[in-house]
Amino acid sequence: MTSVAVLGTGLLGTAIAKRLLDVGLEVHVWNRNPARLAPLLEQGATAVQELQGAAQGRNAVITVLRDGGVTASVVDALGPLHGTTVMPMGTMGIEESRQLARHVVPNNGHYLEAPVLGSKPQALDGTLLVMAGGDAQVFEEQRPLLSHLCQEPLLVGPVGSGAATKLALNQLIASLTHSFSLSLRLIQRAGVPVKTFMAILRPSALYAPTFDKKLQRMLDHSYADPNFSTDLLRKDLRLFLEEATTAGLQDQGLSGLLSLLEQAKGTDLDEQDYCALHELTALT
């Protein structure tokens, strides 16, 4: 039986672990706060008591952690990797991922970055989008596992390319949400019915499905029960901007959006759904 360790059981990590349990895998789980493991243990997961040695006997170690720094510290705490494959699924910087690979491989491990697009609902039904970066042979070895989470996992290139793809997509989340919020506010203040605006937008080339997914939340100013928080969106946008600077890209427009998101710090918006940035796009 395939044996997997899932390190980090927040919203996404818990859903990934549940999915792997549902398809019959042996799943070992860890969280800095052991109390958060309870639902998974009830479903049949085994708790990882100590990170040291947790890779032994595992076909893969999946990390679903906040950022590259936290991921590196957790992987380092595993000790010898015993030939297992480390697969970070959280968002991290390009060079952070490459540095982690340089740590894993000499430590008798394999490395395949596998960031995902999607959240709890997609993880639970196996429809996440996986953008892997790494060696083609390692990818093929892990394809059966990844296929439990994604209908068609893709190898996008060498280590770093998966991280870059994930950041590029998360930048679109921020930019599309911001632009839709501004457009929505303008037409409302001009007296254009939202229904009329959406009837024009939906059949056009400008339409993105995320607009309808977030429309009612914005109209109701209701952002509870997030799949992805404003805080995490801001963190990922900042990371994208750092990578854009390194790549020599013009980032002036996005810098303004990051400044806008900074206004959510220390407020209730930070822990709410990321489309709560709609609350920041009106001066009054």
Side-chain angles (χ1 to χ4, degrees):
M1 178 185 293
T2 300
S3 179
V4 180
V6 178
L7 310 182
T9 56
L11 188 73
L12 180 59
T14 294
I16 287 172
K18 281 181 176 292
R19 171 66 178 177
L20 297 179
L21 286 165
D22 286 343
V23 298
L25 274 59
E26 177 185 290
V27 180
H28 299 252
V29 291
W30 174 88
N31 192 284
R32 205 174 300 275
N33 178 2
R36 301 192 69 172
L37 301 177
L40 292 170
L41 301 184
E42 291 175 5
Q43 191 177 340
T46 301
V48 172
Q49 303 295 339
E50 297 288 341
L51 285 173
Q52 177 75 28
Q56 188 167 7
R58 309 285 87 81
N59 300 90
V61 171
I62 294 173
T63 64
V64 195
L65 300 161
R66 178 179 174 84
D67 55 35
V70 174
T71 302
S73 66
V74 168
V75 171
D76 183 63
L78 294 173
L81 295 172
H82 305 285
T84 195
T85 298
V86 173
M87 289 197 294
M89 291 193 169
T91 306
M92 68 175 71
I94 297 169
E95 187 55 31
E96 286 180 320
S97 185
R98 290 170 178 164
Q99 288 178 354
L100 187 55
R102 289 193 287 268
H103 170 78
V104 165
V105 174
N107 197 29
N108 194 29
H110 304 287
Y111 185 80
L112 185 74
E113 59 182 9
V116 301
L117 188 66
S119 190
K120 179 180 176 180
Q122 293 76 30
L124 290 174
D125 64 15
T127 59
L128 291 168
L129 299 177
V130 173
M131 55 216 80
D135 181 79
Q137 181 176 340
V138 177
F139 173 73
E140 290 302 327
E141 290 171 354
Q142 296 302 327
R143 184 193 288 272
L145 171 59
L146 293 173
S147 294
H148 292 308
L149 302 172
C150 172
Q151 293 176 351
E152 292 187 34
L154 293 175
L155 179 66
V156 297
V159 172
S161 59
T165 305
K166 171 62 172 172
L167 287 173
L169 291 166
N170 279 19
Q171 183 275 132
L172 284 175
I173 293 174
S175 293
L176 286 171
T177 305
H178 179 232
S179 62
F180 182 58
S181 172
L182 285 172
S183 293
L184 191 60
R185 286 198 179 277
L186 182 66
I187 62 106
Q188 287 181 299
R189 294 194 177 192
V192 178
V194 172
K195 183 177 180 180
T196 301
F197 175 69
M198 294 304 296
I200 297 168
L201 176 61
R202 287 189 185 104
S204 78
L206 304 175
Y207 178 72
T210 189
F211 297 156
D212 267 313
K213 288 183 179 180
K214 300 303 179 182
L215 175 61
Q216 200 58 50
R217 280 183 177 268
M218 290 178 171
L219 294 178
D220 295 342
H221 304 277
S222 175
Y223 313 110
D225 192 25
N227 285 328
F228 188 52
S229 69
T230 307
D231 170 54
L232 290 177
L233 182 68
R234 183 177 61 247
K235 183 263 297 182
D236 288 354
L237 183 59
R238 183 182 298 111
L239 187 52
F240 178 91
L241 283 164
E242 291 172 0
E243 295 293 352
T245 298
T246 300
L249 305 180
Q250 172 56 260
D251 62 6
Q252 187 173 352
L254 281 180
S255 296
L257 177 51
L258 179 60
S259 295
L260 186 69
L261 286 167
E262 294 284 356
Q263 296 177 25
K265 267 189 175 181
T267 74
D268 291 342
L269 300 180
D270 240 12
E271 299 308 314
Q272 295 178 338
D273 188 87
Y274 66 86
C275 70
L277 75 83
H278 184 57
E279 300 303 306
L280 305 174
T281 55
L283 294 175
T284 59

